[in-house]
Amino acid sequence: MMLKKWKRIGINGIPYLLIMAFTLVLLSYGIRSQSFIGGLDTHFHMNSFYEAARQIATGHYSYFMSLYGFGQSGRVVNALYGPVFNYLGGLLLLATHSWVHFQLWLLFITITLSGVAMYLLTKKCHVNHVVAIFIAFMYMLTHPIISSWFGNSEFMGLGAAFLPFIIMAGVDIVQRRRIRILYLALPMAVILQIHLMTSLIAVLALVPFVLVGIVLTHHTIKMLINGTVAVIITALLSGNVLGTIYDIYSSNQLIPTYPVFHMQSMENALMLHSNHIEIPAGEFLLIVILLYAIFQWKHLRILDWTILVDGLGFLWLSSAYFPWDHLWPIWPKISSIIQFPARFLPVALLLLLLLLGRIITNVWERAVIRPWPSINRSVLSLFMIVIFIVTLVPNMSYIKWASSTVWNRNYVVHFNGGISKHRFDGPLLRSAYRSHNLHRGLTIVNKITTDYLPTPHQMTQKGYYSSPIYRDYAKAYINNPIHFKKQVKSHQINLSWRLPGKANLNNLGQIGMTRKRILVPVTDYRHSIVRLNGHRIDPKKSLVGAIQLRLKRGVTNHLSIQYQPGEFFKVMSTLSIVGWLLMLCYGLYKLMKFVKNSLHKA
């Protein structure tokens, strides 16, 4: 009996091993060349992971301030941008010792997770085992996973790896005609700890499933109550995220992410490929799905129609056919919040691939075309093989380009955004990313990013590009001519500097508002506590939040800065910690119960 059970476990584990093996194939060029991919957002997130790693290694923690990353500027990033995931990434960075190894392991874990999550979703939707593996592989090759995450380190792609768990909750609502509270609340709480924008899009993706569930259920009131409880639990488990948003945004004017005014020019096809390789696989599969829905509509169930309508809706949102350019003049903030319609593409691809899996399974197992079933299955197998190869080949070409071609040329960081003079020094960059000196990989290329920085006056989307924020950022944080000695003590940053008696006022005047002021390269928020030479001060701030001080020559100046959050954050973060501890205890209880029942049956 026990032998049969272990044999069954081994057979059930084959799909997961295949997914892991396929991930290794995708990473083979990078593993062979030991290369690092410096994409559009890579340097930004390197700072976030380095910040978390150094806090863990040194024991000096600040949930809000950047004590080590982002030039030890004290700016708030990690608390707003995937707090828990950044700490997990920090642990991985400490374990792998170099940026090359860290990136390879992170990609292996997350790409494998995307395949496993998609496989589990297809199995929940009763897709055939072989077809489920095919759909998982196809999802691992989509634009959000390969181009956005693998090639550019965009968290949109990371969120796409976790999206199947959210859609599983939606599918469960339609299948059971009720809302299972924790089944919905837990994945939503997890994704809120990873990427806020993905969580908001995931909520929108769940709406059709919830509406269909409400229509089908005979217990509408109970479903609404369960849904409300799930929302409350999600909010409590995400208290640290929600508390941070309130603490920062309620007390500061923040520089928005850069707005995109011509969003319809950023349209996307149904991309099962990279930005650099155009193939017709996505468009062809969409035609297949639509033709099946038209001519075989009797074989589609309510769940299929829900998936189809939801998927097509998100495909519309991600395309040039949605009137984005007419919306942003009415609501300018949408140009900074959404930026790219491609943000909606992961949901569209996921749902349409899921429906494709159900369609192939329907044809395979229910024999829609009744004569010659063996021929039909052979045709279906050939169809899946051809589509897979047509999708795989160009993606591998892109992966080879990103992992090998770019790595071996002088321009290693293959997307613009860095301003360092070493950006085109290939040997130096390769040495830095392979080095165990993690800080070296951060300082060799500096990228200007003004996201979440406080500014004295409200900045509108229309005035963003006419504002000198990028110039001021470079002057204050990157090219500041004054030598500041920085030291981290507990949860604060201490700076000291000394200006000689005959300081070059012309040089210093270039970085201040006047020739009598200097810029100190740390960020001052409303809840920051700043002390100059032992006395608490409320200093003036530059356009990008850097502290402005009057020149004091011939003396050594000492400045300390720390962040003191408000009471609302403290309450919400405490509730979050207590909530996750309760979830852990509940999970251990269910695990012990499962093990006990398994041993009893054996």
Side-chain angles (χ1 to χ4, degrees):
M1 185 73 176
M2 184 65 73
L3 184 62
K4 289 183 179 179
K5 186 173 183 178
W6 282 108
K7 185 177 180 180
R8 186 169 66 253
I9 292 174
I11 294 173
N12 291 337
I14 290 176
Y16 305 104
L17 293 176
L18 290 174
I19 290 170
M20 292 174 65
F22 186 55
T23 303
L24 290 175
V25 171
L26 297 178
L27 298 178
S28 58
Y29 289 111
I31 294 172
R32 190 181 310 133
S33 61
Q34 290 292 287
S35 59
F36 182 84
I37 301 172
L40 190 62
D41 287 349
T42 303
H43 194 266
F44 181 85
H45 295 303
M46 284 171 65
N47 276 274
S48 296
F49 292 130
Y50 179 78
E51 172 66 28
R54 290 296 295 159
Q55 287 193 20
I56 295 169
T58 61
H60 298 310
Y61 288 94
S62 176
Y63 183 80
F64 283 85
M65 289 174 55
S66 297
L67 302 178
Y68 301 96
F70 299 97
Q72 292 188 287
S73 60
R75 63 185 293 187
V76 177
V77 176
N78 284 15
L80 289 167
Y81 214 104
V84 172
F85 184 79
N86 280 319
Y87 277 111
L88 293 175
L91 286 171
L92 181 63
L93 181 58
L94 290 175
T96 51
H97 305 297
S98 76
W99 289 111
V100 167
H101 292 157
F102 166 75
Q103 189 179 69
L104 285 172
W105 274 105
L106 183 63
L107 288 173
F108 174 77
I109 293 169
T110 51
I111 294 176
T112 298
L113 180 64
S114 71
V116 169
M118 192 65 187
Y119 176 78
L120 292 174
L121 173 60
T122 55
K123 291 307 299 174
K124 182 170 181 61
C125 293
H126 311 297
V127 174
N128 175 280
H129 284 284
V130 175
V131 179
I133 295 172
F134 163 71
I135 296 298
F137 284 0
M138 292 293 289
Y139 188 64
M140 294 164 72
L141 291 172
T142 55
H143 170 267
I145 303 298
I146 295 299
S147 185
S148 297
W149 178 236
F150 180 92
N152 288 305
S153 302
E154 296 175 9
F155 266 36
M156 178 190 79
L158 177 63
F162 289 83
L163 263 179
F165 294 111
I166 305 296
I167 302 302
M168 284 174 68
V171 169
D172 189 71
I173 293 172
V174 175
Q175 288 177 336
R176 295 175 180 267
R177 273 64 164 170
R178 65 187 180 93
I179 292 177
R180 289 196 286 174
I181 295 172
L182 292 182
Y183 200 84
L184 174 61
L186 283 178
M188 280 303 306
V190 169
I191 207 164
L192 271 164
Q193 301 288 350
I194 297 170
H195 192 217
L196 181 61
M197 189 64 202
T198 299
S199 65
L200 296 177
I201 292 174
V203 170
L204 185 61
L206 286 175
V207 169
F209 293 97
V210 174
L211 293 177
V212 171
I214 290 174
V215 171
L216 295 178
T217 187
H218 297 294
H219 307 283
T220 305
I221 301 299
K222 185 178 180 181
M223 175 176 278
L224 293 174
I225 292 173
N226 285 0
T228 303
V229 173
V231 170
I232 293 172
I233 291 177
T234 300
L236 292 176
L237 293 176
S238 309
N240 59 318
V241 177
L242 302 178
T244 297
I245 293 171
Y246 177 81
D247 196 84
I248 295 293
Y249 280 88
S250 66
S251 57
N252 299 276
Q253 298 283 354
L254 299 185
I255 298 175
T257 54
Y258 70 92
V260 178
F261 296 135
H262 300 289
M263 297 171 68
Q264 283 182 251
S265 65
M266 312 295 292
E267 79 277 6
N268 294 276
L270 189 61
M271 289 184 286
L272 295 170
H273 51 80
S274 77
N275 282 334
H276 302 271
I277 306 294
E278 295 290 337
I279 59 173
E283 289 78 2
F284 174 72
L285 292 179
L286 176 61
I287 293 172
V288 169
I289 291 170
L290 292 176
L291 288 175
Y292 185 89
I294 293 170
F295 294 106
Q296 299 292 333
W297 59 270
K298 291 183 180 180
H299 297 279
L300 293 180
R301 299 183 178 182
I302 293 177
L303 178 59
D304 298 315
W305 286 111
T306 305
I307 294 171
L308 178 61
V309 172
D310 203 0
L312 290 178
F314 273 86
L315 186 61
W316 179 46
L317 288 172
S318 70
S319 72
Y321 298 104
F322 190 84
W324 291 112
D325 287 355
H326 297 284
L327 283 181
W328 81 259
I330 301 171
W331 185 29
K333 287 186 177 181
I334 200 172
S335 61
S336 287
I337 296 173
I338 302 298
Q339 290 181 299
F340 311 108
R343 294 187 186 276
F344 297 99
L345 192 61
V347 176
L349 291 172
L350 186 155
L351 291 172
L352 294 176
L353 282 174
L354 176 61
L355 182 58
L356 178 67
R358 283 178 61 85
I359 289 173
I360 295 175
T361 299
N362 189 294
V363 176
W364 185 290
E365 295 185 349
R366 293 175 175 80
V368 175
I369 306 172
R370 297 189 181 280
W372 310 298
S374 60
I375 296 178
N376 292 332
R377 292 188 176 185
S378 299
V379 171
L380 280 174
S381 299
L382 181 61
F383 169 80
M384 289 189 290
I385 291 171
V386 170
I387 290 296
F388 176 69
I389 292 175
V390 169
T391 307
L392 176 64
V393 171
N395 272 286
M396 290 303 294
S397 297
Y398 170 73
I399 289 170
K400 181 181 179 181
W401 174 79
S403 300
S404 182
T405 304
V406 175
W407 176 250
N408 289 312
R409 67 186 188 187
N410 287 332
Y411 192 14
V412 173
V413 182
H414 63 269
F415 281 101
N416 202 356
I419 65 168
S420 171
K421 63 181 179 181
H422 302 299
R423 187 159 51 105
F424 298 101
D425 192 337
L428 185 63
L429 288 168
R430 284 187 284 273
S431 173
Y433 292 138
R434 285 171 171 165
S435 170
H436 284 197
N437 183 352
L438 299 173
H439 187 256
R440 186 181 170 207
L442 290 183
T443 56
I444 203 164
V445 172
N446 293 308
K447 183 178 179 181
I448 297 177
T449 50
T450 59
D451 300 0
Y452 316 123
L453 286 173
T455 187
H457 310 289
Q458 184 176 6
M459 182 176 295
T460 64
Q461 279 68 28
K462 293 182 180 179
Y464 184 91
Y465 291 107
S466 61
S467 175
I469 53 175
Y470 289 102
R471 183 197 65 193
D472 287 4
Y473 182 93
K475 288 181 178 179
Y477 296 105
I478 298 177
N479 297 326
N480 198 318
I482 302 174
H483 175 68
F484 293 90
K485 183 180 179 181
K486 297 182 180 180
Q487 183 181 14
V488 177
K489 183 179 180 182
S490 185
H491 52 281
Q492 70 180 27
I493 300 174
N494 298 324
L495 299 90
S496 61
W497 70 96
R498 179 185 178 89
L499 297 179
K502 295 182 180 180
N504 186 338
L505 296 182
N506 290 326
N507 188 28
L508 295 177
Q510 292 175 2
I511 63 167
M513 295 297 292
T514 71
R515 293 174 61 188
K516 295 182 179 181
R517 292 185 182 275
I518 62 169
L519 288 177
V520 182
V522 287
T523 310
D524 181 22
Y525 293 83
R526 184 65 177 171
H527 288 168
S528 298
I529 299 175
V530 183
R531 288 185 173 88
L532 177 64
N533 298 323
H535 302 286
R536 185 168 179 176
I537 62 172
D538 185 14
K540 290 186 176 181
K541 294 180 288 187
S542 74
L543 194 62
V544 290
I547 293 175
Q548 295 179 354
L549 296 176
R550 291 187 179 277
L551 274 173
K552 290 186 178 182
R553 292 174 288 165
V555 296
T556 301
N557 297 281
H558 300 276
L559 183 141
S560 67
I561 184 169
Q562 64 185 75
Y563 192 94
Q564 183 65 45
E567 293 300 320
F568 181 75
F569 170 78
K570 295 176 182 178
V571 172
M572 291 298 291
S573 59
T574 301
L575 290 174
S576 177
I577 293 171
V578 172
W580 282 110
L581 288 175
L582 291 175
M583 290 298 106
L584 178 62
C585 292
Y586 179 74
L588 291 174
Y589 165 75
K590 297 292 286 186
L591 178 62
M592 291 173 62
K593 187 175 180 180
F594 173 77
V595 172
K596 184 178 179 180
N597 291 337
S598 298
L599 292 174
H600 179 73
K601 290 179 181 179

